[in-house]
Amino acid sequence: MIFLTALPLFWIMISASRGGHWGAWMPSSISAFEGTCVSIPCRFDFPDELRPAVVHGVWYFNSPYPKNYPPVVFKSRTQVVHESFQGRSRLLGDLGLRNCTLLLSSLSPELGGKYYFRGDLGGYNQYTFSEHSVLDIINTPNIVVPSEVVAGTEVEVSCMVPDNCPELRPELSWLGHEGLGEPAVLGRLREDEGTWVQVSLLHFVPTREANGHRLGCQASFPNTTLQFEGYASLDVKYPPVIVEMNSSVEAIEGSHVSLLCGADSNPPPLLTWMRDGTVLREAVAESLLLELEEVTPAEDGVYACLAENAYGQDNRTVELSVMYAPWKPTVNGTVVAVEGETVSILCSTQSNPDPILTIFKEKQILATVIYESELQLELPAVSPEDDGEYWCVAENQYGQRATAFNLSVEFAPVLLLESHCAAARDTVQCLCVVKSNPEPSVAFELPSRNVTVNESEREFVYSERSGLVLTSILTLRGQAQAPPRVICTARNLYGAKSLELPFQGAHRLMWAKIGPVGAVVTFAILIAIVCYITQTRRKKNVTESPSFSAGDNPPVLFSSDFRISGAPEKYESERRLGSERRLLGLRGEPPELDLSYSHSDLGKRPTKDSYTLTEELAEYAEIRVK
């Protein structure tokens, strides 16, 4: 909107034209409402030396050249005009004063166009000016809205209508301005080219709700039925506001999830879905959908929707909670401990919702927590009984997972009560049962023979481990009058323990060693001795010779040493060994130690010549019995 504060340039140019040159000045364009009138201001000039007695003029429509026979709008000489302008045109200016202002009435759309003026000073002094005015016939007021209307910033909207008809003056009023502000009529203003306009202003501070509002202006002419209305829609620019978004979303692992974000703004916003600073999807739109196929726990978290345009931005977040069964628990902590130490074991997992965590040992609950992701198990002063397999179990409504772990308690050897020696015929087997961690080394000591046998001597010692218990068996073969002393010693890096193995059934050792055949032989020997003594006494009684003296004791053979049986007893020894296995409940074939040799003789095999008399008699008696 241009407000005039000085004389129009048009009139300044007219004042300066008094120089005696052909020229004309009129507005290049002018407008008027249909059915009203319009006054086209016009000034012209010609050389002073012409000095005509009478000055005439002609207005043409759409062409300045008479030879083209353009419609005559007005002609001062003859008053003959084109039929379209009959009764509609007249000259308001005084041609003698070089004023060629034209008035057109009862305007209709066909009168819109170019208007040219031709000066006629008589004779050849006629001149058609190239300057012309374009008449625009309108039927709506002109509402001028600023190119940018921003919410929260005051704006001025104007309604402008032409006021170039001296016979009819327009009056302006606003339509649909309620809630925006009160209008102020500025009045009649003159434009740069000498035309006039009627102006009304409306000031207000728009809101986002005013965007798209239809604002109207009405021009009416008093004492007529002429009324013209014009409308303009407000294009209010405002920053985005997110108006549609999911609330917190819960989804089961593997399901499909859709997250929707919608924003209101002008112009439309750039919508962006983000997570942890990573752009997942973006588009210029009023709403944007984010599709998540087969969600996993890794997609659990906070998602942000950002809406922005040139006037600002807005953002909102939504939390996606992926529900899933517990992961396989992990165990961090001590898995090897020394007896007496305090052990701390941490079992942890991940799930949604948080699980129930439980630690078991042999179906006994040791610790449990509800809706926690970690469970701490404290075992003060661990003992060998704490050694073993444990289970950490995590469960929620979506599933259950478990992890097994072993706690190894290391301790010094403990010799169990099952340790002993037992006799079966001519075989003695000694069991040393040891509980320890780590596995001990076991040695058997026979003090009477100054012999020590350890596990490395596989020919004599058989060992078998079950869990923390090690069973070592020493097998002795031969004959003895009394149970042998056997000391078992177990040793590991935490200490050593020794035990003299008790003998089960020691008073029957000799008879167990001799067996049925040996008993018959022994009985025969005893009878022979008795007979010998009886016969000797009889001789003594008969001779009663004083020179008779008792001789040496008769040779009696005692089996005081353990001796190895020879090849003839191989079948019998295998039969006895089978019985011993059933007695001990052991698998495999334990090795045997022959005690009729010193420690330096271990590994040598006896021959038939090493049999004692007792053994030969026993063989003979056994054959006779059979």
Side-chain angles (χ1 to χ4, degrees), residues 296-605:
T296 65
E299 294 172 292
D300 187 286
V302 176
Y303 290 76
C305 176
L306 175 65
E308 57 183 337
N309 63 12
Y311 301 94
Q313 65 178 22
D314 189 20
N315 66 84
R316 284 178 61 183
T317 60
V318 58
E319 183 174 359
L320 173 60
S321 182
V322 179
M323 318 302 286
Y324 58 97
W327 291 0
K328 186 177 180 64
T330 58
V331 177
N332 298 321
T334 304
V335 293
V336 177
V338 179
E339 182 179 16
E341 290 183 345
T342 297
V343 172
S344 177
I345 297 174
L346 178 66
C347 176
S348 62
T349 186
Q350 184 174 327
S351 70
N352 193 12
D354 285 332
I356 298 174
L357 275 173
T358 307
I359 295 181
F360 295 90
K361 183 177 187 287
E362 297 175 353
K363 298 183 179 180
Q364 180 182 359
I365 296 177
L366 302 180
T368 186
V369 291
I370 299 176
Y371 306 137
E372 296 286 343
S373 60
E374 293 184 349
L375 174 59
Q376 189 91 16
L377 175 64
E378 295 284 348
L379 297 175
V382 292
S383 65
E385 286 70 25
D386 294 317
D387 190 287
E389 184 181 58
Y390 292 72
W391 284 89
C392 179
V393 180
E395 60 181 332
N396 62 14
Q397 61 264 45
Y398 299 102
Q400 181 187 83
R401 296 296 298 274
T403 296
F405 62 95
N406 289 298
L407 173 61
S408 179
V409 179
E410 296 186 341
F411 54 94
V414 177
L415 294 169
L416 303 183
L417 296 178
E418 297 94 312
S419 302
H420 68 281
C421 288
R425 298 199 177 202
D426 62 348
T427 301
V428 174
Q429 287 189 327
C430 296
L431 279 73
C432 186
V433 185
V434 185
K435 185 176 184 181
S436 75
N437 191 17
E439 182 176 343
S441 61
V442 177
F444 293 92
E445 181 184 0
L446 284 74
S448 62
R449 304 294 297 172
N450 193 26
V451 174
T452 300
V453 183
N454 57 40
E455 295 175 291
S456 62
E457 301 178 79
R458 300 290 185 182
E459 298 179 6
F460 313 110
V461 178
Y462 171 80
S463 297
E464 184 177 90
R465 184 175 177 86
S466 177
L468 299 178
V469 177
L470 176 69
T471 302
S472 291
I473 304 170
L474 172 67
T475 301
L476 309 175
R477 293 199 62 206
Q479 297 178 354
Q481 292 180 335
R485 288 183 64 218
V486 179
I487 299 174
C488 174
T489 301
R491 184 187 311 276
N492 67 9
L493 59 91
Y494 297 106
K497 288 286 185 181
S498 296
L499 174 68
E500 183 173 344
L501 301 179
F503 209 98
Q504 293 183 355
H507 60 286
R508 299 193 301 270
L509 175 61
M510 182 60 72
W511 296 110
K513 290 294 181 181
I514 295 175
V517 176
V520 173
V521 174
T522 304
F523 184 68
I525 294 173
L526 289 175
I527 292 175
I529 294 174
V530 171
C531 291
Y532 176 78
I533 295 174
T534 302
Q535 185 178 2
T536 302
R537 287 180 179 178
R538 284 178 181 176
K539 290 179 179 181
K540 183 178 179 180
N541 293 333
V542 172
T543 61
E544 293 181 354
S545 172
S547 62
F548 180 81
S549 60
D552 295 333
N553 290 329
V556 179
L557 183 63
F558 296 92
S559 300
S560 60
D561 294 331
F562 292 96
R563 298 187 184 274
I564 298 176
S565 301
E569 291 184 330
K570 180 178 182 182
Y571 173 79
E572 180 64 22
S573 64
E574 289 178 355
R575 185 178 64 83
R576 288 196 299 269
L577 182 58
S579 300
E580 293 160 6
R581 290 175 182 167
R582 288 193 297 273
L583 174 65
L584 297 172
L586 296 172
R587 293 178 297 176
E589 186 173 333
E592 302 170 351
L593 179 62
D594 189 345
L595 297 183
S596 62
Y597 292 86
S598 66
H599 184 63
S600 62
D601 294 329
L602 288 174
K604 296 179 180 179
R605 300 301 300 168

